[in-house]
Amino acid sequence: CTLLKHLHFPPIELMSHHEPLTDAERVGIAHMRNNLKGTLLEDDTHFLLDDLLMARFLRQKKGNPEKGLAALEACLAWRRERKPHRITFEDVAVWPATGVVVIAEKTKLGVPVVYFTPPKGLKVPAEVRADFTVWYCEELMRRGYNESVTVMDFSRVDAAPSGEEERARKMIDEIRANYYPLFDSKVLLVNMPFVLRVIFGVMTAFLSEAQKSTLVTGLKPKHLLDWIDASDLSDTLGGQRSFPKSAETGGYDIFASFPPKRT
């Protein structure tokens, strides 16, 4: 592997739902790029160390270039050890087979949408759920996408999460914060029951300001039309689009609806 600090990274603008880069952020990104020492494995080719990626790590650390750089170095070390790009769909297929998640096109700005409907009770080990999050982030990057919007529909939830469900959430939150910071440029929370609103209020106290800025709460399905055209919005949320299901599992056919590779 070649030291990444010796590579040239052409500047790019942040996509769609992210705010544009400020001059101060460009200075911070230049500092991170010039001092980065970590390396990637030779087959880890879709984790692009461009301005967008560095900006996300920088913003996650409140604009502090040293902390952003340290977080990115830790992420690169994790990628070399964990090898997330080698996780296959077969490794995590049991989770989407439950019918709780589908990944499809698109917001009005062309960003992939992850529809997630938390179930009652944890039917799949927390570790598999966490690995599924890693897999779909990696798969989106392989297809040329550098962000997603998550729509969380809580219509099936009528009680506080169990201890095991909380463990799964914490695992996923840690993975997102440490290794895919701000990959979700928006998180749209729909049909949230009162019992979860109280818990959510406590949870947000531990989020960075950048993370908080992605959250949109108190939504009803009709409000999603501000972000997603009716023709692209899931018919389970009042839209016109239905997603194919697997005859074998009854869950969504992930690859039938997955956003195509960008050209």
Side-chain angles (χ1 to χ4, degrees):
C1 297
T2 304
L3 284 180
L4 298 174
K5 66 182 289 185
H6 296 306
L7 297 179
H8 172 65
F9 302 98
I12 63 169
E13 293 294 333
L14 290 167
M15 279 182 61
S16 56
H17 300 287
H18 287 295
E19 293 295 323
L21 290 171
T22 66
D23 289 343
E25 286 175 329
R26 291 186 181 278
V27 172
I29 289 168
H31 172 82
M32 292 171 64
R33 185 188 305 121
N34 291 334
N35 290 278
L36 186 64
K37 295 181 173 61
T39 61
L40 292 166
L41 296 175
E42 290 184 0
D43 64 336
D44 191 357
T45 57
H46 58 267
F47 192 74
L48 302 179
L49 287 142
D50 53 24
D51 283 7
L52 172 58
L53 183 79
M54 294 192 184
R56 296 201 328 249
F57 278 89
L58 181 66
R59 288 178 173 181
Q60 179 76 347
K61 295 303 180 181
K62 300 181 180 180
N64 186 310
E66 292 297 339
K67 291 183 178 180
L69 177 60
L72 181 53
E73 294 280 18
C75 175
L76 295 180
W78 173 80
R79 293 189 70 85
R80 290 185 64 86
E81 179 181 355
R82 180 66 179 86
K83 303 176 181 63
H85 58 293
R86 297 181 188 174
I87 294 176
T88 68
F89 179 71
E90 289 69 28
D91 295 329
V92 298
V94 63
W95 181 228
T98 63
V100 300
V101 62
V102 62
I103 303 162
E105 295 184 288
K106 60 189 177 337
T107 69
K108 292 180 179 181
L109 296 178
V111 176
V113 180
V114 180
Y115 293 96
F116 179 52
T117 307
K120 294 181 180 179
L122 188 69
K123 301 177 182 178
V124 172
E127 290 77 10
V128 176
R129 289 183 56 176
D131 278 353
F132 178 78
T133 299
V134 171
W135 173 81
Y136 84 70
C137 289
E138 297 289 319
E139 183 63 21
L140 284 172
M141 288 190 292
R142 275 190 286 271
R143 297 184 183 216
Y145 300 95
N146 50 28
E147 65 175 296
S148 62
V149 167
T150 292
V151 175
M152 298 193 71
D153 174 16
F154 293 94
S155 57
R156 297 186 194 174
V157 178
D158 56 9
S162 66
E164 186 65 5
E165 288 168 331
E166 273 295 292
R167 188 172 78 88
R169 180 191 63 78
K170 289 179 180 178
M171 288 178 64
I172 293 171
D173 286 351
E174 180 178 322
I175 286 170
R176 286 187 173 282
N178 293 337
Y179 311 126
Y180 305 94
L182 305 179
F183 194 87
D184 268 333
S185 53
K186 286 294 176 187
V187 180
L188 310 177
L189 306 176
V190 187
N191 297 321
M192 182 179 284
F194 178 77
V195 65
L196 288 185
R197 293 179 204 170
V198 176
I199 297 172
F200 181 77
V202 175
M203 287 168 44
T204 54
F206 299 95
L207 299 179
S208 69
E209 290 303 315
Q211 286 175 300
K212 291 178 184 177
S213 71
T214 69
L215 300 173
V216 184
T217 62
L219 297 179
K220 295 181 179 179
K222 64 181 181 181
H223 297 138
L224 296 175
L225 294 173
D226 291 340
W227 285 274
I228 306 169
D229 286 328
S231 58
D232 290 316
L233 181 63
S234 171
D235 57 4
T236 63
L237 292 165
Q240 300 168 2
R241 186 171 180 187
S242 61
F243 300 114
K245 292 194 173 183
S246 167
E248 181 179 351
T249 68
Y252 290 107
D253 184 338
I254 290 293
F255 289 105
S257 59
F258 212 93
K261 188 172 183 178
R262 294 179 70 193
T263 56

